[in-house]
């Protein structure tokens, strides 16, 4: 009997979009001119597709008047706002490569992104929360010789940029668009590596336009849908799955706030009658845990996507039952793959939609390989998740060595994630290669243990990491956030709960009760930081 290998290819019946982002945007704007395209809750402003297209063109002409050429890098450093979305499409229309800068960056990281990308012009907020962007730009300007101009939002700079473009002849944008190709680079996103400097994943029109289209096509988006987007635009989740997903279907983009706020997000879903909402698991956990959750009318919801980190089974079940998201989807991917590689479907049964990351997307291939030999493994075995197809980035900006490490000679992107492919083609991520804990020779996948403790009635959230141990090499440490009004657990109570249900070596030796976890702006848990902190606290080498 032959062994079925961990390989799958997605359907190809729906053709790829072989057009630039600007061309797709204009096609949809013409088709749905009078329908609502963008809603910004903070300012109360609304745009139809025709109005949004006109606003985008105003910015595009301003950039052209500033001397921005095809392939020039234009940065944006701001929280979610309508100008962010407009700048995204304005740069796409003129072929400028948009460098999306993490709003949480400080001077060192910002200066690196500007210098490494060769950024010529920056669109920036003046401030947000504790970030004084103007002061940070001023303090690093001398170290950024390529940066010729900074345009601050909510200042005279923004109006001046638009005014400059009014002198250009009307065909200027169309003339520039005629020189562009779908395979041109259009976006650089810096990945938050745990070691060394971030790497600039370089993505083309074809990469991200198609991923946005197919991700939202998989959740049956149409021009009737209204998507609440609380995830940050600077990351693929917001700008590709969110903005480009809506644009390719004529759906309405709804910005609830500059940064995530659970109450505002819930209020926005209710007031705007949103049919979908995106979020990383921590966002859904925060919304479900809000003390006034039951008072919000979320009956308009039917779908959404949970992604960006492993999705706890219990949280997904509550999204379906308590948030009316019967067609909610789990999506899996990474910035380097535009981002989504696998996704659950709306008609999947509850088990598939809560226990897996779905199956391969259209026009893509996936496989699970032995991390040491690169051989494709039989289904059911744990190995590294790899993907190939239209979604794989062009490479890391000006870093051929790092690109070659990530993308092999056959075009496969090696993700660094440990996964299994089931007999039905659905995949399960069991952790990162670097997060796997080896305790006394036993390979332990923290995800399995986290899922077990999510079922504890007093635990709201849990993260499991490996910490150094002289005798066994590594031991397990659980960081636990308790539900409001419950008594904190300790090592003894955790062991009592797990004994007889988990193998002894999977029961955490250390238990740390916390209010929050260290995380990135996109909601990804910083496990490396947790390991360092725990090792110091417990006096481990």
């Amino acid at each position: 009997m032959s062994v079925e290998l961990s390989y799958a290819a997605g359907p190809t019946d729906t053709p790829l979009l072989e057009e630039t982002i600007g061309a797709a945007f204009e096609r949809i704007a013409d088709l749905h001119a009078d329908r609502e395209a963008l809603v910004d809750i903070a300012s109360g402003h609304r745009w139809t597709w025709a109005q949004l297209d006109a606003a985008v063109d105003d910015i595009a002409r301003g950039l052209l008047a500033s001397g921005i050429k095809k392939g020039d890098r234009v940065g944006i450093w701001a929280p979610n706002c309508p100008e962010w979305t407009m700048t995204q499409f304005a740069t796409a229309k003129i072929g400028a490569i948009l460098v999306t800068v993490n709003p949480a960056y400080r001077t060192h990281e910002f200066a690196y992104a500007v210098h490494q990308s060769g950024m010529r012009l920056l669109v920036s907020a003046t401030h947000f929360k504790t970030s004084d962007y103007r002061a940070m730009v001023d303090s690093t300007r001398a170290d950024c010789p390529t940066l010729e101009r900074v345009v601050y939002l909510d200042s005279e700079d923004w109006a001046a940029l638009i005014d400059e473009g009014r002198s250009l002849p009307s065909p200027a944008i169309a003339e520039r668009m005629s020189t562009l190709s779908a395979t041109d680079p259009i976006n650089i996103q810096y990945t938050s590596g745990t070691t060394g400097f971030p790497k600039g994943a370089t993505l083309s029109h074809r990469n991200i336009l198609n991923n946005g289209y197919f991700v939202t096509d998989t959740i049956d988006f149409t021009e009737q849908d209204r998507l609440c987007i609380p995830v940050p635009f600077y990351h693929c989740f917001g700008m590709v799955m969110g903005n480009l997903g809506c644009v390719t279907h004529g759906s309405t983009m709804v910005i609830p706030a500059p940064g995530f706020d659970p109450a505002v997000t819930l209020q926005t879903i209710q007031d705007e009658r949103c049919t979908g909402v995106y979020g990383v698991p921590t966002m859904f956990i925060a919304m479900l845990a809000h003390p006034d959750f039951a008072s919000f009318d979320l009956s308009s919801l039917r779908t959404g996507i949970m992604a960006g980190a492993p999705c706890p089974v219990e949280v997904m079940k509550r999204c379906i039952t308590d948030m009316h998201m019967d067609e909610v989807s789990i999506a899996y991917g990474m910035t380097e793959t535009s981002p989504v590689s696998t996704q659950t479907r709306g008609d999947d049964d509850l088990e598939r939609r809560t226990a897996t990351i779905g199956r391969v997307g259209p026009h893509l291939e996936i496989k699970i390989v032995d991390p040491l030999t690169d051989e494709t493994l039989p289904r059911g075995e744990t190995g590294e998740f790899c993907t190939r197809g239209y979604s794989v980035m062009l490479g890391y900006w000006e870093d051929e060595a790092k690109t070659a490490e990530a993308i092999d000679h056959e075009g496969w992107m090696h993700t660094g994630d440990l996964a299994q492919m089931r007999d039905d083609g659905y995949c399960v991520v069991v952790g990162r290669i670097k997060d796997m804990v080896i305790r006394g020779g036993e390979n332990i996948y923290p995800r399995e243990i986290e899922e077990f403790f999510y079922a504890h009635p007093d635990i709201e959230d849990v993260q499991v990491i490996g910490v150094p141990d002289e005798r066994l090499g590594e031991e397990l440490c659980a960081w636990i956030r308790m539900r409001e009004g419950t008594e904190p657990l300790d090592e003894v109570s955790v062991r009592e709960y797990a004994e007889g249900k988990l193998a002894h070596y999977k029961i955490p030796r250390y238990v740390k009760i916390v209010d929050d976890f260290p995380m990135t702006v996109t909601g990804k848990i910083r496990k490396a930081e947790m390991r360092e902190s725990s090792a110091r606290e417990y006096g481990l080498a």
Side-chain angles (χ1 to χ4, degrees), residues 103-114:
Y105 272 7
R106 291 298 185 258
T107 53
H108 178 70
E109 300 147 315
F110 166 71
Y112 175 80
V114 173

Side-chain angles (χ1 to χ4, degrees), residues 278-358:
Y278 285 177
V280 297
T282 50
M283 290 180 174
F284 283 101
I285 289 169
M287 285 189 279
L288 290 162
H290 192 275
D292 297 328
F293 174 81
S295 68
F296 293 100
D297 178 5
L298 309 179
S299 59
S300 61
L301 284 177
R302 67 166 183 88
T303 191
I305 294 177
M306 192 188 296
C311 308
V313 173
E314 295 303 317
V315 175
M316 176 58 80
K317 287 178 179 175
R318 284 199 65 198
C319 288
I320 294 170
T321 58
D322 299 350
M323 295 184 73
H324 308 283
M325 298 171 70
D326 292 336
E327 300 169 41
V328 65
S329 175
I330 287 182
Y332 160 83
M334 61 193 305
T335 302
E336 290 89 337
T337 57
S338 303
V340 174
S341 298
T342 65
Q343 191 174 353
T344 60
R345 274 49 172 183
D347 59 355
D348 282 341
D349 59 29
L350 185 60
E351 189 275 336
R352 283 190 173 119
R353 286 194 289 151
T354 56
T356 80
I357 55 167

Side-chain angles (χ1 to χ4, degrees), residues 435-447:
D435 286 342
M436 185 177 74
V437 178
I438 304 176
R439 179 192 182 277
E442 296 279 4
N443 290 354
I444 304 173
Y445 305 112
R447 170 78 187 279

Side-chain angles (χ1 to χ4, degrees), residues 397-419:
W397 183 259
E398 295 192 341
D399 197 334
E400 291 182 7
K402 285 285 191 291
T403 301
E405 288 176 17
I407 304 171
D408 67 26
H409 67 284
E410 294 182 333
W412 287 98
M413 177 75 206
H414 290 251
T415 67
D417 282 328
L418 289 166

Side-chain angles (χ1 to χ4, degrees), residues 229-240:
I229 313 175
V231 293
F233 288 154
Y234 93 89
H235 187 265
C236 272
F237 204 170
M239 70 169 288
V240 178

